[in-house]
Amino acid sequence: MRIIHAKNKEEMSKIAAQIFIEQVTNKPDSLLGLATGGTPVGLYDELGKSGCDFSRVTSVNLDEYAGLPGENENSYRYFMNDNLFRKINIKLENTNVPCGTAEDLQAECKRYSALLNKLGTRDIQLLGIGPNGHIGFCEPDTELFATCSVVDLTESTIQANARFYNDISEVPRQALSMGVKEIMDAKHIVLIAEGAGKKEILKKACFGKITTQVPASLLQLHPNVTVIEATGLEEE
Ligand code: F6R
């Protein structure tokens, strides 16, 4: 793992944006894995301002809430359209997010896994980290899903996401998420994290035991991970 310490969220976003811009400049038809949440908003702003040509890029997102249609402003499809896709010249038909309102969610997971297989290895996969160490919505457990699955969100994740809703009762309890095997199937994983509240979990992920109870710790097994952090993490 290569760990880059940024001074603050702005610097983290700029450093991460540079990695994506270089990737797309060097390979205009890059396949990018994208994430949602509070952490990548600044990075997506930077990409929007960059003028970088995304016209041949294809993207796949990590996850989506079960039950939320793309028009719902809390859905991850809405988030991606609003925070990134409308700001760059990517073709919307080349952007992929699991469908949270599919009639058969298991079938939708199978479709998404098949799509990932068809598209092939991602050039970069962007990740955030949950307060409980989740990546995508692979929640801490005794065993983890390998491929795209319908997951029950943990109380920690529901509480962390409640900030986007009027009331915690409105937060979806389930999501569709890439599995760990799929997340790891990227040439380069870029994990971004900011805020002192993420420091301890990031420390466990980077330097702790490798355990399914901290899904991000599995990234220690990947040969090409860049962590860009503004949490105050110190080197072990
Ligand atoms: C988002 C995702 C999640 C978030 C994580 C951190 O697509 O898969 O794993 O990256 O929950 O969220 P924020 O950035 O809101 O702290």
Side-chain angles (χ1 to χ4, degrees):
M1 265 183 188
R2 195 164 70 105
I3 302 179
I4 300 174
H5 303 285
K7 282 200 297 286
N8 50 36
K9 185 173 181 178
E10 287 66 41
E11 192 178 79
M12 176 199 79
S13 302
K14 286 199 165 86
I15 295 168
Q18 210 41 51
I19 294 177
F20 278 83
I21 291 164
E22 270 170 33
Q23 172 64 43
V24 174
T25 305
N26 293 336
K27 187 179 173 217
D29 62 346
S30 289
L31 177 59
L32 303 179
L34 300 175
T36 59
T39 317
V41 171
L43 154 64
Y44 292 159
D45 278 344
E46 291 294 329
L47 294 181
K49 287 189 285 190
S50 70
C52 182
D53 181 9
F54 284 82
S55 61
R56 293 174 59 202
V57 165
T58 299
S59 73
V60 282
N61 261 76
L62 288 167
D63 41 22
E64 178 61 284
Y65 285 118
L68 296 192
E71 308 79 58
N72 183 305
E73 59 185 33
N74 282 314
S75 76
Y76 285 171
R77 164 50 79 181
Y78 188 100
F79 174 98
M80 289 310 301
N81 289 351
D82 194 43
N83 283 283
L84 182 64
F85 299 151
R86 70 178 175 81
K87 299 179 184 166
I88 58 176
N89 66 342
I90 196 165
K91 296 193 177 88
L92 217 48
E93 63 268 29
N94 292 341
T95 68
N96 299 281
V97 181
C99 175
T101 52
E103 211 165 292
D104 180 344
L105 292 179
Q106 307 292 347
E108 171 59 8
C109 288
K110 279 200 171 152
R111 182 197 70 82
Y112 205 68
S113 287
L115 173 75
L116 295 173
N117 272 334
K118 188 177 138 218
L119 291 172
T121 301
R122 271 147 281 143
D123 293 292
I124 301 185
Q125 175 63 58
L126 177 68
L127 295 178
I129 181 171
N132 62 1
H134 73 211
I135 46 176
F137 275 135
C138 298
E139 298 281 44
D141 207 338
T142 49
E143 48 188 22
L144 301 177
F145 294 102
T147 57
C148 185
S149 303
V150 181
V151 293
D152 294 323
L153 301 178
T154 59
E155 207 43 47
S156 150
T157 299
I158 291 165
Q159 283 187 11
N161 292 348
R163 67 193 196 273
F164 299 112
Y165 294 79
N166 293 325
D167 191 273
I168 193 161
S169 64
E170 293 171 18
V171 185
R173 268 32 192 180
Q174 284 191 318
L176 290 75
S177 175
M178 273 191 207
V180 176
K181 179 168 167 270
E182 292 164 339
I183 291 176
M184 300 277 269
D185 185 25
K187 286 183 201 146
H188 185 190
I189 291 181
V190 174
L191 184 145
I192 52 177
E194 59 94 21
K198 294 269 179 81
K199 181 174 157 175
E200 284 311 311
I201 194 66
L202 188 64
K203 190 171 164 189
K204 283 188 186 169
C206 295
F207 310 118
K209 285 188 178 152
I210 296 169
T211 165
T212 57
Q213 298 296 347
V214 182
S217 68
L218 292 164
L219 298 173
Q220 293 180 42
L221 299 170
H222 191 283
N224 188 13
V225 177
T226 303
V227 174
I228 307 163
E229 67 85 31
T231 68
L233 183 74
E234 283 134 30
E235 293 288 335
E236 292 266 290

